[in-house]
Amino acid sequence: MRFLGINAIFHDPAAALVADGRIVAAAEEERFSRRKHGKRPLAFSAWELPEQAAAWCLREAGLAPEDVDAVAYSYDPSLVVRRPEGDWEDLRTRYAVRAPLFLATALPGLDPAQVTYVPHHVAHAASAGLASPWRDCAVLVCDGRGENVSHLAGRYRDGELEVLAAQELPHSLGLMYEDVTEHLGFLRSSDEYKVMAMASYGRPRHLEALREVIRPTGDGGFRVEPVDWNVYAKALPKGAPWTSDHADLAASVQARLEEVLLELARWLHERTGERRLALAGGVALNCVANTRLLEETPFTEVWVQPAAGDSGTALGGALHLAQAYGEPAAPMGTAALGRDFTDDELGAWLDVARVPYTRPADLAAEIAAELAANRIVAWFQGRSEYGPRALGHRSLLAHPGHAANTERLNDVKGREQFRPVAPMVLESRARDVFGRGPVPSPYMLFVHDVRPEWAARVPAVVHVDGTARVQTVSPDGEPLVARLLTEFERRTGLPVLVNTSLNTAGRPMVDDPRDALECFGSAPVEVLVLGPYVVRRREVFGS
């Protein structure tokens, strides 16, 4: 059977396809439209569907819309507490009610009756529990909001979800974090990771005050009272310089978020006795909190959906329907679920662009030499990643041994200098360089402490607090990247590479060859690797 999942209602519209017991494809609309996050999370944008992502998922599976057995729409308007006429949220609900008709228009041949509403947090839960390596586990979902709740705690037993707690709106940890994001001059529902990065520069000196207004209730839920953030730091206009007051506010909010999540996870463990925990929802992209959940709760294993934000509900909805129809899909073994291109297609793009290129006999060795010479490399390989992390398919790579490369990469990408860049490391070498945090960690969703004897050797990947957001690489899963790491260590003695997303500020990650060539042409990157082909800036531009 074939199940198409659709996320559209809030932000990060996406589509995913599960067929014949496996995850075939998943992609975010932003990678096609080139509009960051696909759209803004406004009620009057709820009609915007992931039309290009959905059409691509069907093509990838060789299907027409009429071949789909069921469509999951990851929002159930019947659960919404209706508001007065004219309210913007009522408009969102009206769009959701008509979503089957919108989808049938976007995908001609689709029967609107095939569309099933899957509650938003159930779709999130399925994206974690059903995609994880386990059939039985606890599941914790935390985000801004769904239809009428902002959180779900439960467990999966043999693929069936039991909901144990759900927090009703308006109380929301995710919306609270969004409020702080906006207060600090960033874009809400987009830049929350910047608050997490800024927190490392501050002291949580407002923690006691925040404990009074953000608190667990002891029954698996929590309360978030209205907060006047100006009491702690004045609101920052977008792009304005931040001060220690703003960093202290970020640190305080981050610390309180972690404390509440720990309480929620401990309650869930007490209720379930499970030793495995699966996480989803936008808050699950907070890798600092994830590490504390692993280190400081009774759970011995934690798995986080790589597309933990709303885009992941497309996959979760499809998995939920597959389970309901008695055809559960295999666990998610990779985040590389997006588009890929043949060598011939990539070569044709380079020919059209009229740029000189080579096809080296040993790509890993040649690029390792470029990286050892401290050149920045744009790396485009295989299927694009599903979710916000670059995992060696659409990446910018650099030498970790030069502290200046952090600033250099932030300049290349046009982003704030307080932002860290991440390391990738062979799974077999990870414990030599990094402590605390899980190994393996293939999706870059936890922080690890950098061992003191290594901090001075790989300064570009060490955040101000001594941590790094690590991606471990397995030769079985990523043989080319593993060889690149091996060749780089042979030349430099360093088993680590800097890995950050292949994009510039405000733009989605590169997805197709045109995107890669445009990024290479506009950003000061010395080398572009497009599949087996290598393009050098000095050969294109003469410098």
Side-chain angles (χ1 to χ4, degrees):
M1 297 185 74
R2 299 160 294 270
F3 305 96
L4 179 67
I6 298 290
N7 170 62
I9 197 69
F10 293 117
H11 52 83
D12 294 293
L17 189 77
V18 173
D20 300 326
R22 65 188 184 94
I23 301 169
V24 176
E28 292 137 300
E29 187 72 5
E30 68 165 21
R31 308 297 173 85
F32 300 83
S33 69
R34 309 310 299 158
R35 183 183 179 193
K36 187 75 169 174
H37 296 296
K39 62 180 181 179
R40 293 303 299 141
L42 306 169
F44 47 81
S45 73
W47 66 272
E48 296 184 47
L49 295 168
E51 297 184 27
Q52 296 179 79
W56 172 78
C57 284
L58 292 173
R59 289 196 304 272
E60 183 70 9
L63 301 175
E66 56 267 29
D67 297 325
V68 174
D69 293 292
V71 178
Y73 185 84
S74 60
Y75 186 85
D76 186 348
S78 71
L79 300 177
V80 177
V81 177
R82 298 300 291 266
R83 295 170 173 81
E85 292 292 327
D87 185 276
W88 285 124
E89 289 306 310
D90 184 66
L91 178 62
R92 193 193 307 272
T93 304
R94 288 171 180 265
Y95 280 138
V97 168
R98 290 162 177 78
L101 297 175
F102 288 138
L103 283 164
T105 301
L107 300 170
L110 180 71
D111 183 352
Q114 293 175 297
V115 179
T116 297
Y117 293 112
V118 177
H120 187 71
H121 286 83
V122 171
H124 267 310
S127 80
L130 297 182
S132 79
W134 320 304
R135 292 289 288 172
D136 296 346
C137 64
V139 62
L140 184 64
V141 174
C142 194
D143 67 355
R145 56 161 300 182
E147 299 88 352
N148 59 352
V149 301
S150 68
H151 145 272
L152 177 151
R155 66 177 161 194
Y156 275 95
R157 288 283 178 87
D158 196 29
E160 298 295 329
L161 175 65
E162 178 187 4
V163 178
L164 299 174
Q167 179 55 57
E168 291 187 359
L169 295 168
H171 303 284
S172 169
L173 294 173
L175 290 180
M176 177 274 297
Y177 212 90
E178 287 185 19
D179 288 344
V180 174
T181 299
E182 187 171 50
H183 187 79
L184 293 173
F186 305 127
L187 186 62
R188 69 182 301 138
S189 293
S190 174
D191 293 348
E192 283 68 31
Y193 55 91
K194 296 182 183 180
V195 177
M196 183 179 67
M198 184 185 286
S200 298
Y201 290 83
R203 297 181 296 111
R205 58 189 176 92
H206 307 301
L207 185 54
E208 285 299 328
L210 293 181
R211 285 172 176 157
E212 296 297 316
V213 293
I214 306 167
R215 59 189 187 279
T217 53
D219 59 357
F222 50 85
R223 292 291 179 270
V224 180
E225 306 299 339
V227 180
D228 181 1
W229 302 112
N230 283 299
V231 171
Y232 308 109
K234 295 298 181 184
L236 271 178
K238 184 174 176 59
W242 53 276
T243 70
S244 60
D245 287 342
H246 300 100
D248 289 349
L249 174 57
S252 301
V253 170
Q254 174 68 27
R256 188 56 184 149
L257 174 73
E258 294 168 18
E259 289 181 342
V260 175
L261 289 174
L262 287 168
E263 288 294 321
L264 297 177
R266 288 167 181 150
W267 178 90
L268 182 58
H269 182 268
E270 288 177 2
R271 287 294 305 272
T272 65
E274 297 285 353
R275 63 184 183 87
R276 293 164 166 164
L277 174 65
L279 299 174
V283 175
L285 293 172
N286 193 301
C287 55
V288 178
N290 293 345
T291 295
R292 290 195 66 184
L293 287 171
L294 177 62
E295 295 289 324
E296 300 179 36
T297 71
F299 291 106
T300 57
E301 295 180 80
V302 175
W303 190 87
V304 186
Q305 166 57 240
D310 275 8
S311 64
T313 65
L315 176 59
L319 292 171
H320 178 79
L321 284 191
Q323 178 70 31
Y325 277 77
E327 195 174 272
M332 181 176 178
T334 177
L337 296 169
R339 286 188 287 180
D340 65 349
F341 302 86
T342 66
D343 292 353
D344 287 346
E345 288 172 327
L346 295 173
W349 273 103
L350 291 168
D351 290 337
V352 168
R354 297 184 180 179
V355 294
Y357 62 90
T358 61
R359 184 171 185 163
D362 190 338
L363 181 68
E366 186 153 327
I367 299 307
E370 296 282 2
L371 289 162
N374 202 27
R375 297 187 178 98
I376 294 176
V377 173
W379 179 263
F380 182 109
Q381 295 291 338
R383 299 185 71 170
S384 59
E385 299 94 339
Y386 182 46
R389 305 287 192 248
L391 301 170
H393 291 244
R394 305 290 188 272
S395 291
L396 280 172
L397 305 178
H399 196 305
H402 303 283
N405 277 347
T406 307
E407 181 177 348
R408 185 180 172 202
L409 282 165
N410 282 331
D411 284 341
V412 166
K413 291 166 68 73
R415 66 184 199 175
E416 301 88 351
Q417 287 298 341
F418 66 84
R419 304 262 301 277
V421 291
M424 57 164 51
V425 61
L426 279 175
E427 185 180 311
S428 60
R429 299 283 277 124
R431 285 297 183 206
D432 297 335
V433 185
F434 304 102
R436 199 174 63 108
V439 173
S441 183
Y443 300 131
M444 204 188 291
L445 287 164
F446 297 85
V447 296
H448 296 65
D449 294 328
V450 183
R451 297 193 185 280
E453 62 271 24
W454 279 94
R457 298 184 66 189
V458 291
V461 299
V462 184
H463 196 31
V464 67
D465 60 0
T467 67
R469 190 179 66 200
V470 173
Q471 177 199 355
T472 61
V473 174
S474 162
D476 293 333
E478 298 287 349
L480 180 59
V481 176
R483 280 207 63 238
L484 179 64
L485 285 162
T486 300
E487 289 292 332
F488 182 77
E489 182 174 14
R490 188 168 68 83
R491 287 163 173 78
T492 65
L494 303 177
V496 171
L497 279 171
V498 177
N499 172 29
T500 188
S501 56
L502 180 50
N503 65 332
T504 53
R507 299 284 290 165
M509 262 197 290
V510 159
D511 198 77
D512 73 10
R514 182 194 295 273
D515 305 334
L517 286 161
E518 288 179 349
C519 188
F520 179 68
S522 63
V525 175
E526 284 97 337
V527 180
L528 168 64
V529 180
L530 203 64
Y533 307 111
V534 178
V535 183
R536 290 176 172 82
R537 190 171 203 84
R538 63 182 178 272
E539 296 172 0
V540 176
F541 300 105
S543 61

